[in-house]
Amino acid sequence: MYTRSFEKLAHHLKSGHVYRREDLLPYSKAVDRDLMRLALEDFLEKVAPGLYYAPKISRFGHLPPNDKALVKAFLRDDDFLLLSWNDYNSLGIGLTQLYNRTVVYNYKRHGVFKLGDKAFDFRRPARGFPKKLTPAFLVVDLLNNAKELADENAKNLKLKIKNKLPNNLLKQAANCAKKYGKVATKKFFTELSSASST
C-alpha cells in the first residue's frame, strides 16, 4: 500500500531525469523513506550521495543516465565542458588507445567522482575552457595532456600534429592555444608559426 506522500513523489518523477535530494523535498513529507522505497521498487536509482536517477527503460532494460544531465545535477551548474580522451582519436593523427575516462572541465569541483557506474575526472583548469568542444580545442587539449597519455602512438605527437593536420585547423588551434594552452602548448604553436613564416 503506497502512502499519499510516496504517490505524490512518484508522480512527479520523469524518466531520464536526474534529481538531487533537495529538489524532491517539496513532494514528500518523509523524503528519505520515500526515496529508499522508490529505489527498492526500481522507480529510482541512487547514482551518488543525494543524487537519484529516474531510469528510462528500453526493450533492453534500463538506459544509463545522460552524462550531461548527471554532471549538471552533481555540480548544480551547467557551466562545464565534457570531454572524452577517446575524442583525440577523431583527429586522425594515428592515436588508437581507448580510455575509460571522461573529463569534466568546470569551476567548482576537482577530483575523480563516481556517478552511477561511471568515473568522471573533474578538473578546474587555470586557463578556463570554451563553451563548446571544437576540433581546435581538442588539438590544444591533446597537447596540454600529452604527458598523461598511455597511447604508444603518442610518441612524436608534435610531429604528427604538424604533418597530419590541415593548415586551417592548425591556425585555429594556434589561436585557441593563446587562451587555453599550457606554456609548452603555446611554445609549440609559436615555433610552428615561426617555421612556416621563414
Side-chain angles (χ1 to χ4, degrees):
M1 187 74 176
Y2 296 145
T3 63
R4 184 176 293 180
S5 175
F6 177 93
E7 288 180 346
K8 185 180 178 183
L9 184 53
H11 180 72
H12 172 74
L13 300 175
K14 292 179 182 176
S15 64
H17 285 238
V18 180
Y19 298 94
R20 295 195 69 88
R21 178 186 176 276
E22 58 261 35
D23 298 334
L24 301 172
L25 286 171
Y27 305 98
S28 171
K29 291 180 180 176
V31 73
D32 292 317
R33 181 197 67 202
D34 289 338
L35 286 172
M36 190 182 295
R37 190 168 180 188
L38 284 162
L40 281 171
E41 300 197 19
D42 281 342
F43 286 99
L44 280 177
E45 292 174 10
K46 189 171 184 177
V47 289
L51 211 59
Y52 296 85
Y53 167 60
K56 206 168 192 174
I57 300 168
S58 75
R59 58 195 178 113
F60 303 109
H62 288 189
L63 296 173
N66 173 277
D67 286 353
K68 197 168 183 178
L70 202 52
V71 170
K72 183 178 178 180
F74 179 72
L75 289 174
R76 297 187 183 92
D77 191 0
D78 60 2
D79 194 5
F80 60 86
L81 181 70
L82 280 173
L83 167 71
S84 167
W85 279 7
N86 295 326
D87 294 334
Y88 297 150
N89 300 347
S90 69
L91 291 170
I93 56 173
L95 299 179
T96 55
Q97 178 78 34
L98 293 177
Y99 296 92
N100 187 22
R101 174 181 299 232
T102 301
V103 174
V104 184
Y105 290 127
N106 74 106
Y107 297 109
K108 289 187 169 183
R109 305 297 290 265
H110 183 79
V112 177
F113 295 88
K114 192 174 182 189
L115 305 177
D117 295 327
K118 198 168 180 180
F120 291 85
D121 185 354
F122 287 79
R123 299 184 177 197
R124 291 191 309 248
R127 300 158 304 283
F129 51 89
K131 292 283 184 190
K132 290 182 180 179
L133 185 60
T134 63
F137 178 74
L138 208 52
V139 175
V140 172
D141 196 65
L142 170 59
L143 286 164
N144 283 347
N145 294 315
K147 289 181 180 176
E148 293 185 63
L149 298 180
D151 200 317
E152 271 297 309
N153 295 319
K155 290 174 182 175
N156 302 316
L157 185 62
K158 291 178 180 178
L159 195 62
K160 287 175 180 176
I161 287 173
K162 181 182 172 184
N163 293 335
K164 293 195 174 186
L165 293 183
N167 284 335
N168 64 328
L169 178 53
L170 287 173
K171 285 178 184 175
Q172 291 166 13
N175 285 328
C176 192
K178 290 174 186 173
K179 193 168 185 180
Y180 305 115
K182 289 183 178 179
V183 173
T185 303
K186 288 178 180 175
K187 186 181 176 187
F188 165 75
F189 284 109
T190 303
E191 290 172 352
L192 192 64
S193 177
S194 299
S196 63
S197 61
T198 55

